[in-house]
Amino acid sequence: MSSVSSRANRGWWDGNADDYQAEHGGFLRDSGFVWCPEGVDEADAHLLGEVRGRRVLEIGCGAAQCARWLVSQGAEVAAFDLSYRQLLHARRIDLGTGLRVPVLQADAESLPFAAGSFDLACSAYGALPFAADPLAVFREVRRVLRPGGRFVFSVSHPVRWAFPDDPGPRGLTSDRPYFDRSPYVERDEHGAVTYAEHHRTMGDWVNLLVESGLTVTGLLEPEWPEGHERVWGGWSPLRGRHLPGTAIFSCSRS
């Protein structure tokens, strides 16, 4: 499933990058590190700790908004994404801001970096929801981190899988088992997979991290903030008051 998911999601994001950046670019900011639709901002949350002078890898960077903010804070950053079209948006923003981020096209399950290359790794909804083999991703992250390095990533909160992806009242009633790990798949008229998103329970995420050799050091389940009225797909103030929408894992490499 890994190659099928990678191929499908590369094509989907290449085809939808323009619309995604047009819809969400203002919220993400050209140089800003927003962890999730709830609006958790790294400038306030400091989940990565001190970044100045650190070598940082952003996994699934999209248009590299997070990586660009890290550069502005004095970090030495490399970033990659599966989608070439997303990386073209990164170049567009580089030209507009004067903050250049080194980016490349790559798959998170096979990182083109040497062992021990980075002090920190991060991913804000990048790559992991779409990876058919998250254990391979975690093992690669561990490989490229130096001993004592840290990895922080955000994904959709696993409990959301049991509910329709609807920002309205329908999204408050479970319609599928939380323990059903069947991926969400879209297909074209010929039956070929055009999009794939994978579900893991909270226990699955923790166990995969442990199996990879990473140590879980923290878990943040952001509450929906007062006054935040923005709807992003299935994320909304209504649902956010009842259900967690995001899980942010902090990990370390021994």
Side-chain angles (χ1 to χ4, degrees):
M1 185 65 180
S2 290
S3 61
V4 173
S5 287
S6 293
R7 184 169 55 251
N9 287 322
R10 181 185 300 114
W12 192 93
W13 280 105
D14 280 346
N16 288 273
D18 294 358
D19 289 343
Y20 178 87
Q21 294 298 333
E23 182 178 358
H24 302 298
F27 178 69
L28 296 173
R29 308 191 308 275
D30 288 346
S31 177
F33 199 134
V34 181
W35 281 105
C36 54
E38 290 85 352
V40 176
D41 196 313
E42 178 60 17
D44 303 316
H46 305 294
L47 298 177
L48 292 172
E50 178 58 55
V51 299
R52 184 172 299 278
R54 304 292 182 88
R55 283 186 49 79
V56 187
L57 174 65
E58 186 184 4
I59 296 162
C61 66
Q65 287 96 337
C66 297
R68 202 169 289 106
W69 180 84
L70 289 164
V71 168
S72 76
Q73 302 302 301
E76 183 181 349
V77 183
F80 73 89
D81 200 272
L82 188 64
S83 165
Y84 180 69
R85 188 66 185 176
Q86 287 279 51
L87 298 179
L88 290 180
H89 281 283
R91 281 288 172 258
R92 169 182 61 80
I93 298 172
D94 282 352
L95 292 172
T97 62
L99 287 171
R100 185 180 180 280
V101 178
V103 297
L104 72 158
Q105 187 176 19
D107 191 315
E109 294 179 13
S110 181
L111 299 181
F113 302 103
S117 298
F118 298 97
D119 302 300
L120 298 166
C122 59
S123 184
Y125 275 84
L128 281 160
F130 312 103
D133 187 357
L135 180 58
V137 178
F138 292 151
R139 283 174 169 162
E140 281 290 86
V141 171
R142 185 183 186 279
R143 180 183 64 81
V144 302
L145 282 175
R146 64 166 179 78
R150 299 180 60 236
F151 174 39
V152 183
F153 68 95
S154 61
V155 292
S156 296
H157 197 288
V159 76
R160 287 179 55 107
W161 198 261
F163 295 81
D165 195 28
D166 187 318
R170 192 173 75 90
L172 298 178
T173 302
S174 175
D175 66 351
R176 71 203 76 179
Y178 169 74
F179 298 103
D180 181 357
R181 294 166 175 82
S182 303
Y184 170 76
V185 173
E186 296 177 2
R187 300 178 183 272
D188 64 18
E189 64 273 18
H190 306 293
V193 176
T194 58
Y195 178 90
E197 191 167 341
H198 300 269
H199 168 56
R200 284 99 198 178
T201 66
M202 191 67 82
D204 290 341
W205 284 119
V206 172
N207 290 330
L208 287 165
L209 287 164
V210 170
E211 186 175 351
S212 75
L214 292 166
T215 300
V216 179
T217 59
L219 172 62
L220 176 63
E221 299 169 294
E223 295 186 41
W224 195 270
E226 290 293 331
H228 180 37
E229 299 301 321
R230 190 177 193 277
V231 173
W232 180 326
W235 286 264
S236 67
L238 173 65
R239 295 187 79 198
R241 287 192 291 268
H242 293 272
L243 296 169
T246 296
I248 307 177
F249 291 86
S250 295
C251 316
S252 65
R253 183 215 190 282
S254 58

